[in-house]
Amino acid sequence: MEVSNESAIKKPKRLTSIVWNHFQRIRKADVCYAVCVHCDKKLSGSSNSGTTHLRNHLMRCLKRSNYDVSQLLSAKKKKKDTSLSIANVNANYDEAQRKDEYIKPTIIKFDHEQRKDEIISLGSCRFDQERSRLDLARMIILHGYPLTMVEHVGFKIFVKNLQPLFEIVPNSSIEVSCIDIYMKEKQKVYEMINRLHGRINLAVEMWSSPENTDYLCLIAHYIDEDWKLQQKILNFVTLDSSHTEDMLSEVIINCLMEWDVECNLFAMTFDDCYADDDIVLRIKDRISQNRPQSSNGQLFDVRSVAHVLNLIVQDAMETLREVTEKVRGSVRYVKSSQVIQGKFNDIAQQIGISCQKNLVLDSPTRWNSTYFMLETVIGYKSAFCFLQEHDPAYTSALTDTEWEWANSITGYLKLFVEITNIFSGDKCPTANIYFPEICDVHIQLIEWCKNPDDFLSSMALKMKAKFDRYWSKCSLALAVAAILDPRFKMKLVEYYYSQIYGSTALDRIKEVSDGIKELFNAYSICSTLVDQGSSLPGSSLPSTSTDSRDRLKGFDKFLHESSQGQSVISDLNKYLEEPVFPRNCDFNILNWWKVHTPRYPILSMMARDILGTPMSTIAPELAFGVGGRVLDSYRCSLNPETRQALICTRDWLQVESEDHNPSSALALYAEAN
């Protein structure tokens, strides 16, 4: 704009207010003006007018953008009922429309119905304290931040500089918001689970705390309608210090009834191989029996593979404990100084050792690190023997027999490391992957028990005793899952059972064959009842006539059962008699069953439930840990309701991606060892 006869004022002193960064002070005659550098609007610039009206103009100026106004607001007293707009607010925005508008986050997809390409325009919305508070609560839940972070000075400064209008709330208010989000998300999960056509499998995990408090974690595993393996944490319950095995079964039953899944449960997997069998029996007696299962209910009670492998490994580690201590002492001695390390390297080079691995001490809480330490030291055996002969200060030398024991047991541990890596590295651990690996362990244990060395054979017998208890409970479930892999079918069972059982293999194979046929018959009956309109699979047969005097009702039931049994057997035989699918590294068993569902409608129902059974309950991050799951100190300090809400809701809010493993959600809460 042009102002006639105007000249810039030469200020006798510097204008200290930052407001003047946005105004030019000019004089016309005896009147002073402040001209906005953004929109050229003239305001009073007299020293007697102050700067409040200039601040207010800057907050409303439509042409001002990308300027920090936090310092302007900090000097202005906020009123509780004042609602100020953020930068770049549209002056013509309809306030009534804003109240009905729902602003969704653009970075983290909390609402899965939100479009991925949705973008928030900051120029078309007003600041919403409630919405920001909920977003903060979601952020705390999703990333596992402590509730007290809202009281940290650094957080307050960051938020005030980012959005001065946000009113910092105490952690008690954020806790309430987290509970509200938990209840909302819980309803969504409840509706989703109860819409499933297939059944769910329940993993039962026990946690502890440094204060010796016990926790029960229940995780639902299932294969959804798109044939994707899914899992959701349902409960994280704090157990009373006086709880007994009877009370534990009651807690599990109450959780099942809370989610209305007691009638839709296929199997339960316990992380403890030695969990009391009475717990399972009490649960089976209380929940509905109208579901497909084998006659003895063996498929219902599953124990974690990872747990039994850890138990077996601990036997080996305990047997080799004294030798392992000598190995640690040897490594410490070599690494105690650069002089000794250099001398050792020279020895290794002179005697022609080609091992390129560096000597490292193990972490006692990670048994795979002990294996790597032993494996490396064995590679330098000749160098340690030479060092023993020429260095009297080296006192941790192993005898020839101890070297043999270390070499043999390290070979045993190698098998368990490889198998554990296979299980923990599989991003879609369906139940079919476990049978061949566990059969290999079984065969190796049989061979190890035949070792002529009493020290090694006695250790192997102790390991096999633990394995046999697991095998007696879970062999049928493992075998049935393998049969439902079209690359194996019955052939894999026949191959391994002939090696494991020898002359009695045929009887064992028949037990598996009878078991899968029995289960398949049960699924067939349930499927037919659903087709006829029965409300629940496994419920009583619907009547074919409303006449209570119809004497042929029993005949109708007999006709249904006899004809259905014939079709079931032929359908199962069709699958088993067809050639196996070629093995290749790109095979996806869930995609195979998705494609072949029309061909095997009943068998696919069974495959969905069995392949979704969790055969291992340890997250990959904890697979090699020698201790149990220990909750971190912060979450131990929370009240039980808040603890469960934060842990469960984080799992539910996690963004689903192709490489996301929901079981790792719990690893965040484990105490670092």
Side-chain angles (χ1 to χ4, degrees), residues 1-206:
M1 87 182 260
E2 295 183 0
V3 182
S4 60
N5 299 326
E6 295 176 359
S7 60
I9 295 178
K10 295 182 179 179
K11 298 183 286 294
K13 64 178 180 178
R14 185 174 67 87
L15 298 173
T16 58
S17 175
I18 64 171
V19 170
W20 292 107
N21 293 336
H22 303 272
F23 290 91
Q24 182 182 9
R25 196 177 191 188
I26 60 178
R27 181 190 299 275
K28 182 179 180 181
D30 295 331
V31 180
C32 290
Y33 295 99
V35 180
C36 178
V37 299
H38 307 295
C39 64
D40 292 338
K41 182 171 182 178
K42 288 196 304 183
L43 301 169
S44 173
S46 171
S47 58
N48 295 328
S49 301
T51 58
T52 300
H53 64 299
L54 303 181
R55 297 172 187 268
N56 292 337
H57 169 75
L58 283 179
M59 297 304 300
R60 294 189 297 267
C61 182
L62 298 179
K63 294 186 178 182
R64 182 192 57 77
S65 62
N66 298 326
Y67 282 88
D68 183 10
V69 297
S70 60
Q71 296 183 59
L72 299 175
L73 292 172
S74 61
K76 188 178 180 67
K77 182 179 180 180
K78 293 193 301 179
K79 297 181 180 179
K80 292 184 179 180
D81 298 330
T82 301
S83 177
L84 297 178
S85 61
I86 64 175
N88 241 358
V89 173
N90 189 334
N92 297 322
Y93 189 84
D94 185 358
E95 179 65 19
Q97 178 181 0
R98 171 66 190 91
K99 291 180 180 179
D100 296 332
E101 201 172 297
Y102 183 91
I103 301 177
K104 301 174 182 178
T106 58
I107 304 300
I108 299 174
K109 184 182 173 187
F110 295 115
D111 187 347
H112 293 290
E113 297 178 357
Q114 174 190 358
R115 289 181 53 192
K116 293 182 179 179
D117 57 349
E118 184 175 358
I119 299 176
I120 296 177
S121 174
L122 295 179
S124 61
C125 62
R126 295 179 183 274
F127 171 71
D128 189 328
Q129 170 71 20
E130 177 66 14
R131 182 67 54 208
S132 298
R133 182 175 60 84
L134 289 175
D135 286 344
L136 174 59
R138 288 189 183 94
M139 179 189 73
I140 289 174
I141 292 172
L142 187 64
H143 299 289
Y145 298 143
L147 295 171
T148 53
M149 71 171 290
V150 298
E151 297 179 351
H152 295 172
V153 174
F155 176 78
K156 291 181 179 180
I157 294 174
F158 170 75
V159 171
K160 279 300 179 184
N161 288 333
L162 185 67
Q163 176 49 270
L165 298 178
F166 180 73
E167 182 180 351
I168 299 295
V169 294
N171 65 336
S172 58
S173 297
I174 288 295
E175 183 176 357
V176 172
S177 298
C178 291
I179 298 294
D180 291 341
I181 295 172
Y182 164 71
M183 297 305 296
K184 178 181 177 182
E185 296 299 324
K186 181 178 180 180
Q187 182 63 29
K188 293 180 182 179
V189 175
Y190 175 88
E191 294 172 356
M192 180 274 300
I193 288 180
N194 284 273
R195 286 196 306 266
L196 291 175
H197 291 170
R199 290 170 171 78
I200 70 166
N201 299 279
L202 196 70
V204 182
E205 301 182 2
M206 298 300 299

Side-chain angles (χ1 to χ4, degrees), residues 485-503:
D485 189 326
R487 300 169 298 172
F488 304 136
K489 300 188 179 180
M490 283 296 298
K491 295 297 183 182
L492 192 67
V493 176
E494 295 169 0
Y495 169 75
Y496 277 115
Y497 274 28
S498 63
Q499 300 178 64
I500 294 172
Y501 294 111
S503 60

